[in-house]
Amino acid sequence: MTDTTPVLKAKGITRTYGSGCSAVHACRNVDVEIMPGQLVVVRGPSGSGKTTLLNCLGGLDLPDSGRVWLNGRELTAMRENDRIQLRQTDIGFIFQSFGLIPVLSAAENVEVPLRLVRTEPRERAERVAELLKMAGLAGHHNNQRPVELSGEQQQRVGVARALANRPKLLLADEPTGQLDSGPAADIMDLINELVHNQDVAAILSTHDPLLAARADIVLELHEGAIVERTTGRQSRAEHGDADNMIGTANVPYNGR
Ligand code: ADP
Ligand code: MG
């Protein structure tokens, strides 16, 4: 069965902060489309608009113009309550600072989203065990609190929690921003593996070109606009050989 509906589709996303001569054009006419099983990386320097774009895609913020569809339903046309509800069921968020509840164990943190949708206790316990295993956490870590875990282990808990309710989309703004390069690569490998095995879609941001090399699609942001759109193989070739830019689809600057 081939599903041809994009998990997420966005057209003409434009978001400006302030007005007049102090206006900041954080997103300019950005288009994004992502299918199940795809990993999209939004790459760009600090201030290029990554957070603004991800917030608009995840329904945390509304663009000034442009439209966003999640699994075929238009987020940008919904009432706020419906948007909040859809966000809870259809999107798993992974946070740069992990966002774990300090007084809960790793397993209890993963359980939180399941409690929110009133999953039965037995099913909850089975799902938590499955998620922790999927995230590569060994049994003895499961009863430890976040403070007793390394940054990488905490982010593994964060990834497991994000997947708890089987969302179709994972969204992560610099999920490896607080990790050293080794653990950061391991977390990227984990997300990459889960995206391909679980058939979810993931959009994440990073300013690290090494991490972007794992993506199926890399969107390069510059001053709020996509200046380059690269498919995974091209991006890996580019990463392996900086001069090998042949075949890269350059997208013209939008909205300027
Ligand atoms: P990135 O995540 O790539 O660092 P951001 O989306 O945070 O980029 O920011 C893009 C631009 O928008 C920057 O110039 C930033 O200063 C500006 N910006 C972000 N949030 C706000 C805000 N709430 N009010 C005003 N300007 C903002
Ligand atoms: Mg940011």
Side-chain angles (χ1 to χ4, degrees):
M1 189 186 81
T2 315
D3 190 352
T4 52
T5 311
V7 176
L8 185 107
K9 182 173 163 168
K11 281 218 72 80
I13 301 303
T14 298
R15 180 76 170 94
T16 304
Y17 297 111
S19 60
C21 56
S22 63
V24 176
H25 302 282
C27 270
R28 306 170 191 246
N29 203 19
V30 173
D31 296 342
V32 180
E33 196 172 301
I34 177 167
M35 304 301 292
Q38 278 190 331
L39 174 63
V40 171
V41 165
V42 177
R43 191 174 73 174
S46 181
S48 58
K50 301 182 298 294
T51 296
T52 303
L53 175 62
L54 261 60
N55 287 348
C56 288
L57 297 180
L60 296 165
D61 188 15
L62 282 176
D64 300 312
S65 61
R67 301 164 75 183
V68 179
W69 293 265
L70 184 60
N71 299 316
R73 294 178 62 195
E74 189 178 347
L75 265 185
T76 37
M78 278 178 195
R79 288 188 313 220
E80 193 180 1
N81 280 349
D82 295 336
R83 202 169 61 240
I84 291 170
Q85 186 137 35
L86 196 65
R87 231 170 38 212
Q88 282 175 355
T89 53
D90 286 30
I91 307 180
F93 290 91
I94 302 169
F95 302 96
Q96 178 173 355
S97 47
F98 320 129
L100 304 179
I101 300 173
V103 296
L104 300 183
S105 69
E108 288 164 345
N109 267 282
V110 175
E111 198 180 4
V112 169
L114 298 167
R115 285 181 178 272
L116 289 177
V117 298
R118 298 194 174 81
T119 307
E120 293 300 318
R122 178 141 49 109
E123 195 186 331
R124 240 169 33 216
E126 283 171 10
R127 180 71 180 147
V128 167
E130 181 184 33
L131 286 159
L132 289 165
K133 192 166 167 229
M134 258 163 43
L137 285 161
H140 66 280
H141 294 311
N142 301 350
N143 296 321
Q144 289 180 308
R145 293 186 184 177
V147 71
E148 299 170 290
L149 300 173
S150 70
E152 179 186 337
Q153 286 162 347
Q154 287 183 62
Q155 195 57 304
R156 286 180 183 272
V157 177
V159 171
R161 179 186 56 187
L163 286 166
N165 287 323
R166 299 187 166 86
K168 296 277 176 17
L169 179 68
L170 283 180
L171 266 184
D173 192 10
E174 308 227 22
T176 60
Q178 293 200 356
L179 301 174
D180 294 333
S181 57
D186 289 343
I187 290 294
M188 282 298 283
D189 286 341
L190 171 68
I191 294 174
N192 198 5
E193 178 195 314
L194 291 172
V195 163
H196 295 121
N197 294 347
Q198 308 284 313
D199 222 25
V200 293
I203 303 182
L204 47 94
S205 70
T206 180
H207 53 258
D208 186 338
L210 279 169
L211 299 180
R214 285 163 175 75
D216 297 302
I217 299 169
V218 178
L219 306 176
E220 185 84 40
L221 272 190
H222 181 75
E223 295 181 3
I226 296 179
V227 292
E228 198 176 302
R229 218 179 264 269
T230 326
T231 66
R233 215 177 319 148
Q234 289 160 349
S235 106
R236 279 186 282 273
E238 175 193 338
H239 169 63
D241 172 6
D243 298 326
N244 182 7
M245 295 292 285
I246 300 159
T248 298
N250 282 306
V251 177
Y253 280 59
N254 283 319
R256 293 205 281 175

